[in-house]
Amino acid sequence: MSVKVLSPVKGVLAPITEVPDPVFAQAMVGPGLAVHPELTAGDAVSPVDGTIVTLHPHAFVVATADGAGVLVHLGIDTVKLKGEGFTLHVAKGDTVRAGQPVIGWDPKAIEDGGRSPICPIVALDATVENLVDIREFGPVEAGDALFTWQR
Amino acid sequence: MADDRAARILAAIGGADNIIEIEPCITRLRCELEDGSKVDEAELKAIGAHGVMRAGSVVQIIVGPEADTIASDIEDLL
């Protein structure tokens, strides 16, 4: 069983070590990648087909049918915004398709507020060896394949 | 969550009296405490925390994607 994980946002793909937060940069909850988002308002989309198992205004987890959890976090320390500037397009428990809009947000507003808008995409509880076909770092569109999670 | 993790975490951060605020954020519990030195990091790791980050009275416990559930379980105990 393998899961193709798509980019939730348009921007520039980078190693997760560029995320200015040790939990993500040190892969404490799992390995992954990060996207420096384009600084225009838009929607973050689901990286996989699955169910929204955790939903915050600034972050979400989609679990696939076989239990692979993919975390998308929109910016760093954005929990402090208490949802301001984020629009939810789904509810917790909803079934989503890969590429379906989940949260509307404005990365520029987050950067203007002094926070990093970088988006970590994390394969929860995976090991780094599980991630294959990793896309080359550089420009990426929302919905482009980032890596395949082998399970 | 029918386990005793919430109670054990609560004890390991100094009990209800030491808590100013607990906020879950996807994979971590952000705890603002009266006294950050009361945190028992070894016990938190024994409970299953992936990591503990401390900055004075603010302690972040990395518990994984069940953070929301654990935080609400802890709030039930306060």
Side-chain angles (χ1 to χ4, degrees):
Chain A
M1 193 75 193
S2 70
V3 180
K4 197 171 274 191
V5 177
L6 312 185
S7 183
V9 294
K10 178 179 183 176
V12 177
L13 185 65
I16 200 158
T17 48
E18 290 190 8
V19 178
D21 181 298
V23 175
F24 297 116
Q26 296 171 23
M28 285 187 203
V29 290
L33 297 170
V35 176
H36 294 281
E38 187 180 69
L39 296 178
T40 51
D43 286 331
V45 305
S46 180
V48 291
D49 290 343
T51 304
I52 302 278
V53 291
T54 306
L55 183 64
H56 286 252
H58 66 287
F60 59 95
V61 176
V62 185
T64 64
D66 75 329
V70 179
L71 164 67
V72 176
H73 207 281
L74 302 175
I76 299 306
D77 285 334
T78 38
V79 66
K80 301 246 167 60
L81 296 172
K82 310 266 182 215
E84 196 180 326
F86 296 93
T87 308
L88 298 180
H89 299 310
V90 298
K92 186 177 173 180
D94 280 2
T95 302
V96 292
R97 306 292 298 181
Q100 180 178 335
V102 176
I103 298 174
W105 70 311
D106 183 356
K108 176 146 194 324
I110 288 170
E111 187 168 271
D112 289 349
R115 293 182 174 85
S116 168
I118 196 168
C119 298
I121 299 107
V122 177
L124 291 170
D125 295 326
T127 63
V128 77
E129 296 79 27
N130 295 144
L131 308 192
V132 298
D133 296 338
I134 294 172
R135 187 189 176 89
E136 199 178 323
F137 298 133
V140 68
E141 297 287 331
D144 283 353
L146 296 183
F147 58 86
T148 299
W149 181 355
Q150 286 189 328
R151 297 173 47 78
Chain B
M1 191 74 36
D3 62 30
D4 62 353
R5 255 187 313 185
R8 288 178 67 192
I9 290 172
L10 183 58
I13 57 177
D17 291 345
N18 198 34
I19 292 171
I20 297 170
E21 191 180 17
I22 288 196
E23 185 178 38
C25 175
I26 295 274
T27 60
R28 66 188 86 181
L29 303 171
R30 293 167 181 262
C31 311
E32 195 183 340
L33 305 175
E34 296 281 357
D35 181 356
S37 72
K38 287 186 179 170
V39 172
D40 183 344
E41 208 170 313
E43 167 68 1
L44 289 171
K45 292 206 170 139
I47 299 164
H50 299 278
V52 178
M53 291 187 299
R54 314 165 71 135
S57 62
V58 176
V59 177
Q60 298 194 27
I61 308 167
I62 318 310
V63 293
E66 289 167 337
D68 291 5
T69 312
I70 294 173
S72 68
D73 287 352
I74 291 175
E75 269 158 22
D76 288 347
L77 297 171
L78 297 181

